[in-house]
Amino acid sequence: MQYISTRAFRKEAEKRSFLQILLEGLSPDGGLYMPLAYPRVTDEELTAWRRLSYADLACEVLKKFATDMPEADLKALIHKTYTPEIYRNVRPDQDAAKITPLRVLEEKDGKVLALLGLSGGPTLAFKDMAMQLLGNFFEYELARQHAELNILGATSGDTGSAAEYAMRGKKGIRVFMLSPHGKMSAFQTAQMFSLPDPNIFNIAIEGVFDDCQDIVKAVSNDLPFKSRQKIGTVNSINWARVVAQVIYYFRGYLEATESNSQKVSFTVPSGNFGNICAGHIARMMGLPIAKLVVATNENDVLDEFFRTGVYRVRKSAETLHTSSPSMDISKASNFERFVYDLLGQDGQRVNALFRQIESRGYFDLSGRPGSDGDEFLKVPAFGFESGRSTHQDRLATIRFVKEAYGIVIDTHTADGVKVAREHQEAGIPMIVLETALAAKFNETIREALGADAERPAGFENIEALPQRFIVMPDKADEVKHYIAEHTGL
Ligand SMILES: *Cc1c(COP(=O)(O)O)cnc(C)c1O
């Protein structure tokens, strides 16, 4: 299996392997890596996969993509990752051995609504599904190259904690994570700052999240420093992260159906388009998915595209802080992967359109006079639909799900359930991906229900644990100095 950039002009010349792109983010031409051709899954395979555990299913899916990793190594890394011990934070009435348990909420008039639980990992959000595997892949590849990596990131909550829990204690890896001092929730702060591992460095910046991101950019743009200090990232455009998410679409499908002649649809609370991009890949591999429904909050860049054919990125000042903060994005960094397929894998056109985003802020594929193309007309063939929710919708949905089905869902999942209910069809189960547990966003749960969300065992007193972090002014030079001091490079 070979990979190329979404902006590659000459496909034959620029192919790379899975291990060659494993540690990377953007391709040097500014594009994202994609397989040269999607591997297909046969009817026989799908039938045989019905009997497999999560880890064994993961092996079958990933060996189609990681073809340059010895199969025994791939298996060992996967089996070390997908265990009921690591994904133990499922609801008490669910089976942790399933890793991603499916819960049917309702079966009425031939319409099935179900939740696929992806939040049983250490940080109670779906990012653990891919990030835990990435930690093991990174450690393996760095050992093979006799190399080390210093991961620098900025977080307002979810990504930083998922990265730290994935990389803690890993050989050859250090994590320097910047967060806005005093601006994360008490729960998120405690989760990150209570990690005792010596390879994890929490840097609380006196500023807001955008300041943290600017420091990461400034440090990464200092190329001599970046190379000397072996600086890398783990952002959502990393190919291995996307492909690890493909597994649970297969899993959800196989749990919800009895035969391969049936179809299912998925609704995905979306921000950077990483999660639902994995659903698109599963569908391109031949998984019988009817619809992929993109659910956004008030930051509706993606909903706008799937309604109108216009992709218009927002300015930071236009990006709203909402009660589903992990979906508060101004542009969807993985969206380019779908556009690449929509444009018939034409790297030259993808390149032109995304350069236009930089100069003009939008592109228009609606086919209207003066637009940049008419490929929006092909979107239905890819199964995509969309919807959005507001804060009031999420509150109402949290209350409704509690009353009707007796469980408390988080704000991001509420966004998914709200939109899913508008897109259900008889005879086709609708699976909503549960992207976080309610305990992480307790402030809004209290607003909706007047009571606290339940916390999984072991998290009861997390705020009382000792915390390790350093406070720094909003200055890239001080961060650089701190990194150099702690890497000894
Ligand atoms: C990251 C995140 C999302 C958005 O996922 P994307 O892959 O960025 O679309 C949704 N919900 C939660 C809880 C998240 O942490």
Side-chain angles (χ1 to χ4, degrees), residues 270 294-300 302-303 327 387-389 415 419:
S270 293
V294 179
T296 76
N297 61 23
E298 294 87 338
N299 295 294
D300 56 0
L302 289 167
D303 179 46
M327 294 155 56
R388 77 196 279 277
S389 76
D415 172 274
V419 173

Side-chain angles (χ1 to χ4, degrees), residues 125-127 158 269-275 326-327 410 412 435-436 441:
F126 89 98
K127 291 193 172 66
D158 275 359
S270 293
N272 274 318
F273 205 78
N275 199 356
S326 299
M327 294 155 56
D410 99 290
H412 305 75
T435 55
F441 302 97

Side-chain angles (χ1 to χ4, degrees), residues 300-371:
D300 56 0
V301 191
L302 289 167
D303 179 46
E304 181 174 75
F305 175 80
F306 285 106
R307 275 186 297 105
T308 66
V310 176
Y311 180 61
R312 184 177 60 86
V313 303
R314 313 292 201 250
K315 302 196 176 65
S316 320
E318 281 179 283
T319 309
L320 303 164
H321 291 282
T322 74
S323 51
S324 44
S326 299
M327 294 155 56
D328 293 346
I329 50 108
S330 53
K331 64 179 177 48
S333 41
N334 278 289
F335 184 56
E336 183 168 334
R337 290 193 153 108
F338 171 66
V339 173
Y340 176 71
D341 281 342
L342 186 65
L343 297 179
Q345 312 192 335
D346 180 342
Q348 216 151 333
R349 271 198 75 209
V350 173
N351 188 53
L353 287 180
F354 282 87
R355 283 191 188 278
Q356 183 178 317
I357 289 279
E358 281 156 36
S359 58
R360 210 170 69 178
Y362 75 96
F363 59 70
D364 178 352
L365 297 176
S366 68
R368 282 184 293 262
S371 63

